[in-house]
């Protein structure tokens, strides 16, 4: 990706600030969020004109009492059993949305794997490295960052595992 990091007005989101501080190349994509759209991730893919296979959603799950982030393509879903296995756990369930928001510092539909208030263990679906770049939430609805999957994995210290299912 040849584009230089873009800075957002008023200092950006914690996600874009973290990317800039790390010196990672990324592109910011902004679009008008439609609250009536049934899927945040599919809306992002449509608005950006990007394949849903390259747009990843950030989901927070409770694995044996610990909050863990799963980052999977928006076209599919998070395999909770695979997520638990990827972090050495036994059981996983989707986290309470209010707890996920408080812990990450982001609102649902805008939770980013980057710049979280409390850094959570992260598992990135192993399909990510098959793309030169992927898009993830930049920390608010209607704002995405595009970056190399290796950079995302490095910055979040993510484990790569098959946690997405079609």
């Amino acid at each position: 990706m040849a584009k230089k990091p873009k800075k957002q007005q008023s200092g950006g989101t914690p996600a874009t600030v973290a990317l800039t501080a790390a010196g990672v190349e990324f592109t910011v994509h902004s679009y008008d969020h439609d609250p009536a759209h049934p899927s945040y991730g599919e809306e992002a893919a449509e608005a950006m004109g990007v394949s849903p296979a390259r747009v990843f959603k950030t989901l927070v799950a409770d694995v044996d009492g610990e909050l863990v982030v799963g980052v999977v393509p928006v076209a599919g879903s998070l395999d909770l059993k695979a997520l638990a296995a990827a972090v050495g756990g036994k059981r996983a369930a989707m986290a309470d949305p209010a707890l996920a928001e408080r812990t990450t510092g982001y609102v649902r539909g805008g939770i980013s794997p980057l710049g979280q208030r409390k850094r959570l263990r992260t598992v990135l679906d192993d399909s990510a490295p098959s793309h030169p770049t992927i898009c993830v939430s930049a920390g608010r609805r209607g704002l995405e960052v595009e970056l190399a999957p290796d950079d995302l994995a490095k910055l979040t210290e993510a484990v790569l595992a098959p946690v997405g299912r079609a």
Side-chain angles (χ1 to χ4, degrees), residues 93-164:
M94 293 307 297
D96 172 69
L99 179 60
E101 289 178 346
R102 275 194 315 274
T103 304
T104 63
Y106 294 118
V107 297
R108 214 176 86 205
I111 294 178
S112 178
L114 300 156
Q116 296 170 355
R117 182 177 291 149
K118 178 182 178 193
R119 188 177 192 163
L120 301 175
R121 285 205 292 172
T122 301
V123 181
L124 177 60
D125 186 66
D126 64 356
S127 68
S130 68
H131 306 285
T133 61
I134 61 171
C135 299
V136 296
S137 177
R140 72 173 178 255
R141 296 171 189 154
L143 196 66
E144 296 277 313
V145 288
E146 181 177 352
L147 73 165
D150 290 346
D151 288 336
L152 178 63
K154 182 179 175 185
L155 289 174
T156 60
E157 298 178 8
V159 171
L160 285 176
V163 294

Side-chain angles (χ1 to χ4, degrees), residues 7-159:
K7 291 187 179 176
Q8 290 296 299
Q9 297 170 351
S10 73
T13 66
T16 60
V17 168
L19 287 166
T20 301
V24 170
E25 289 187 17
F26 66 98
T27 303
V28 175
H29 298 276
S30 180
Y31 60 92
D32 291 326
H33 167 62
D34 175 5
H37 200 287
S39 167
Y40 296 116
E42 288 176 15
E43 176 191 27
E46 291 166 11
M48 295 184 302
V50 175
S51 165
R54 285 188 44 230
V55 179
F56 283 63
K57 56 189 169 186
T58 305
L59 301 169
V60 181
D62 179 317
V63 179
D64 300 334
E66 174 191 0
L67 292 183
V68 175
V69 170
V71 183
V72 298
V74 301
S77 60
L78 177 62
D79 182 334
L80 290 166
K81 189 173 184 177
L83 179 69
V87 296
K90 292 184 190 301
R91 293 179 182 251
M94 293 307 297
D96 172 69
L99 179 60
E101 289 178 346
R102 275 194 315 274
T103 304
T104 63
Y106 294 118
V107 297
R108 214 176 86 205
I111 294 178
S112 178
L114 300 156
Q116 296 170 355
R117 182 177 291 149
K118 178 182 178 193
R119 188 177 192 163
L120 301 175
R121 285 205 292 172
T122 301
V123 181
L124 177 60
D125 186 66
D126 64 356
S127 68
S130 68
H131 306 285
T133 61
I134 61 171
C135 299
V136 296
S137 177
R140 72 173 178 255
R141 296 171 189 154
L143 196 66
E144 296 277 313
V145 288
E146 181 177 352
L147 73 165
D150 290 346
D151 288 336
L152 178 63
K154 182 179 175 185
L155 289 174
T156 60
E157 298 178 8
V159 171

